[in-house]
Each structure stands twice: as structure tokens, then as C-alpha cells.
Amino acid sequence: MTKANGRGRLIYGCMGLGGPWDGTSYGASEIDQAAAVIEAAHGIGIELFDHADIYRSGKSEAVFGEVLARSQGLREKIRLQTKCGIRLGERGLETHYDLSRDAILERVNQSLKRLQTEYVDVLLLHRPDPLMDPREVTDAVGQLMAEGKVRQLGVSNMSSAQIAFLQGELETPIVANQLEMSLLRRDWLESTVLVNHAEGVGYSFPHGTLEHCSARGIELQAYGSLAQGRYTGAPSAELSPAESATADMLEQLAGDKNTTPESVLLGWLMKHPAMISPVVGTTNPGRIKACADATSVAATMTRAQWYGLWVAARGNNIP
């Protein structure tokens, strides 16, 4: 197979960088790990690096910022994306959501400081906030864009109705929606074929979200795209019969295409006409490099191969 990179489609998710989730400080080993991961990801053509203010209690952004500070010219070669809207362990609550004007401004400025950059290319609103006032979001985002701190706006974990509601007030287009999507987590796919089918009641994915995003040019970013390694050799993973059959099929297809199971797994997602952009979250440079052929796999995967993987993942049955 002719090697091809994931430029423009693959995204690197930085949630695993920075050490433990607790408040302990990071050190040289965490910075070195971030540098190795960035090098591996950029080496296969990944340009967009995905963050969130809460990842590793802010340390994911901080170690990434340390690498940017010591790597002259790197910032100009990549794009940065971060998220805000989730608060952890604050105000007596384990978790709550906050997309108020002041919270957005505060959290974005904190992210920029940790990342040691003057702007992020994309800001995602991390989770729907039931108390969100779209006018406050518009005010905050407008200010951040006017100050040059944010260039584009997206969302995460939102339905088509929530996106439309928010877009109705915004002066800037929503450019991305990040959702959990993989061959293991298939409710995004099942919901599209189980309309008027009894089995459909078992899937919570909001129907029409893929179509809404695709029709409006909103990029669908798939987190969890490697399915936590269950199909591609995750240590100590106890697989169901369907998962074992799927892993075997991935190995066979990888051999046929002279590539890796990781590239086939991501290529399966990218074959979908909604132009899904997988977010790769492994911190293993070898596994990152194993994703290099995903774009080529998507281009060469047949309909029979695509359906074969879906049927295997479902347990050899489709409605």
C-alpha cells in the first residue's frame, strides 16, 4: 500500500497527557512524554491537537504549553483546540456545567495561559448546560474573537436541536461537534437504520444529528475512535464473541491491505459519507504511528468490507 497520512482528518486528543488526574504537579517526564506524542502525531500528518480545560486538572494543557515554549516554530505548524463548560470538584459539587459568559471568558484565558499561546484555533463548548443563555455565549465568544483569542467555535456532545438553538443567536458558525463514535460505540450509526424499528428504543443517540451536521458542513469529530484498544490488542481486555470476531476481521483486513488494525478501524469510521474525523487518544507513539494509513484505508475499503465489520461488531446480525 502507498503510505498516506491523516492530514486534515485525524485529530490527536491530549486527554492522556500530564500525569495523574489529581492535583499533583507534573515534571520533566510528563513534558518529555508530551513532546514524543506530538512528534509522533505530527509525523503522520496530524495538525489539530484537541484539549479541554479539565483534562488532567489542567496539566494536559500545561505540559503541551511547555513543549510549545521550547520548540521554536511548532505553534505555527499545528492547530489547537480546547474546550470549556465542565467544572469538576467546585462549589461543593463533583461535576456541573457552566456556559455562562464569565465562566467562558475565565476558562479560555486560563487555557491560553497554560498552553502558552495567544489564541486557540477552535473553542468547543464541552457539554450542554441546561442553564445556558445563548446570548451570554454569543457575548463571550464575540469578545474572545474580537480579542483574537479564539478563531472558530464548535460544540461537543450536542444534538442537532441544541446546535440549532445555539446557532440561532450566534454570529459565527458552529464548525464542529465532537461525539463518542467508534465501531464499539455504534449508537450514532444504529439510530440511522432503526427508525420505526422496535430495537431503536434501546439507543439514546439523538436522531438526525449526523444529518444536521453533515448538511451544514459541521465537522463530526469522533472521540473514543480506537475503542480503547479493545479490537487492537488492549492489555487484559476480555472480549465478547462479537468483539473477538471483529478483532479477527480487522487483523485479516489489515493483512490484506498491508497496514495495521488501527488504520482499518479508523478507516471504517472515515468511510462514512459524513466525513467523520477520528480523535486519536493513545499516548503510545507506536500506536499513533499505526494510524498513519487511515485515510488510504477509507478510500479503498469496499462496501462489503465496511458492512462486514459492522455485522461482526453487532454479533452477525443487522435489522
Side-chain angles (χ1 to χ4, degrees), residues 274-288:
M275 298 295 287
I276 297 165
S277 297
V279 180
V280 175
T282 176
T283 58
N284 183 325
R287 289 198 70 213
I288 294 171

Side-chain angles (χ1 to χ4, degrees), residues 11-21 30 33-35 37-39 41 46-65 67-68 78-83 115 178 223-224 278-283 288:
I11 300 166
Y12 183 75
C14 299
M15 185 173 66
L17 303 180
W21 278 84
E30 286 79 21
Q33 179 194 50
V37 159
I38 294 168
E39 180 180 2
I46 293 178
E47 296 176 342
L48 180 58
F49 290 80
D50 174 70
H51 288 272
D53 58 351
I54 61 168
Y55 289 167
R56 308 284 162 164
S57 303
K59 290 181 291 185
S60 295
E61 291 179 329
V63 295
F64 201 99
V67 177
L68 287 180
I78 65 173
R79 300 173 66 232
L80 289 180
Q81 171 175 284
T82 196
K83 311 179 197 72
L115 287 166
Q178 190 174 115
Y223 70 84
V279 180
V280 175
T282 176
T283 58
I288 294 171

Side-chain angles (χ1 to χ4, degrees), residues 252-271:
Q252 179 180 339
L253 284 172
D256 293 344
K257 295 179 180 293
N258 190 29
T259 186
T260 65
E262 287 86 353
S263 283
V264 177
L265 188 58
L266 298 183
W268 180 85
L269 268 177
M270 297 167 75
K271 180 73 174 179

